[in-house]
């Protein structure tokens, strides 16, 4: 099975900051990587798919990059609504899907 | 507009079987490529993928839970049912129903639409 590891587990930042979250896969997943945002009490929301494609309706301050085993989610200028928990997920074909453990983005 | 809604018991006893139903609108298993899956999240913990079923009845399961899970679909009712046997308190979680799609030309998609989730507590 493919293991996904996110870092950091917690990130403190301020409105307007540029932040990045890293996700590493235990084996190559090409670009079969998605990023989700979850706020307390709500279902996750898809932000990025295929490692770098922005889901419809998601602000352009969110971007994704990477391929193979290392991926990054970047938020260019944090807004108040962005303080949430972020999960990466691999969905490589013919493999069981798996999520990272999550990164909580907190207000500094 | 695609919507999904989970339903089922909020409380089950240890060793019992859990049956959850996902009822959806705005999509149909008559459409090639459609997939519906289940994901759970214990309180304060990470997401865990459980199972997935496609329009052609192909099914996929989490290896760690495969022996306890069964996923099925009812095309006429626009529903997907997940059963999990031998429930344990560690299975206490919010269970989400999700939509995906599989393109012959480019492979699977991520989970783009999520239900609101349903909290299931396992306790005697």
């Amino acid at each position: 099975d493919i293991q996904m590891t996110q870092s950091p587990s917690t990130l403190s930042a301020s409105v307007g900051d540029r932040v990045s979250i890293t996700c590493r896969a235990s084996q190559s997943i090409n670009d079969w990587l998605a990023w989700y945002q979850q706020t307390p009490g709500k279902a996750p929301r898809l932000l990025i798919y295929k490692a770098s494609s922005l889901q419809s309706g998601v602000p352009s301050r969110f971007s994704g990059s990477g391929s193979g085993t290392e991926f990054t989610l970047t938020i260019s200028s944090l807004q108040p609504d962005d303080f949430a928990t972020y999960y990466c997920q691999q969905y490589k074909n013919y493999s069981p899907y798996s999520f990272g453990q999550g990164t909580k983005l907190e207000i500094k | 507009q695609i919507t999904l809604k989970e339903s089922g018991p909020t409380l089950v006893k240890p060793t019992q079987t859990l049956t959850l139903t996902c009822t959806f609108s705005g999509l149909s298993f008559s459409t090639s490529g459609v997939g519906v899956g289940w994901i759970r999240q214990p309180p304060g913990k990470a997401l865990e993928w459980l199972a997935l079923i496609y329009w052609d009845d192909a099914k996929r399961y989490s290896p760690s839970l495969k022996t306890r899970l069964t996923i099925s679909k009812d095309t006429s009712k626009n529903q997907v049912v997940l059963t999990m046997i031998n429930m344990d308190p560690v299975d206490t979680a919010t269970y989400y129903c999700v939509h995906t799609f599989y393109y012959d030309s480019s492979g699977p998609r991520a989970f783009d639409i999520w239900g609101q989730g349903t909290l299931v507590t396992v306790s005697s």
Side-chain angles (χ1 to χ4, degrees), chain B residues 31-101:
Chain B
T31 302
S32 177
V34 167
V36 173
W38 289 92
I39 291 162
R40 72 177 179 180
Q41 184 174 38
K45 296 188 177 181
L47 301 164
E48 179 182 21
W49 173 72
L50 300 178
L52 182 56
I53 188 166
Y54 283 108
W55 84 104
D56 60 356
D57 212 38
K59 304 177 180 77
R60 296 178 56 187
Y61 295 100
S62 165
S64 62
L65 293 167
K66 184 175 183 177
T67 59
R68 299 175 55 207
L69 295 173
T70 302
I71 191 169
S72 63
K73 62 180 175 62
D74 187 326
T75 302
S76 64
K77 292 183 178 179
N78 280 354
Q79 291 181 334
V80 168
V81 175
L82 181 76
T83 61
M84 181 181 292
I85 65 171
N86 196 22
M87 293 292 284
D88 183 273
V90 300
D91 296 313
T92 293
T94 296
Y95 288 75
Y96 294 102
C97 177
V98 294
H99 168 264
T100 185
F101 204 89

Side-chain angles (χ1 to χ4, degrees), chain A residues 1 32 34 36 38 42-44 46 49 55 87 89 91 93-97 99 101, chain B residues 39 41 45-47 49 52 54 60 63 96 102 106-112 114-115:
Chain A
D1 299 353
W32 300 106
Y36 301 86
Q38 187 179 33
K42 297 290 184 66
L46 177 63
Y49 63 94
Q55 175 70 356
Y87 293 94
Q89 179 227 343
Y91 55 105
N93 208 4
Y94 304 114
S95 296
Y97 296 169
F99 289 88
Q101 81 278 18
Chain B
I39 291 162
Q41 184 174 38
K45 296 188 177 181
L47 301 164
W49 173 72
L52 182 56
Y54 283 108
R60 296 178 56 187
Y96 294 102
Y102 187 94
S106 58
R109 297 292 301 272
F111 300 128
D112 57 353
W114 293 59

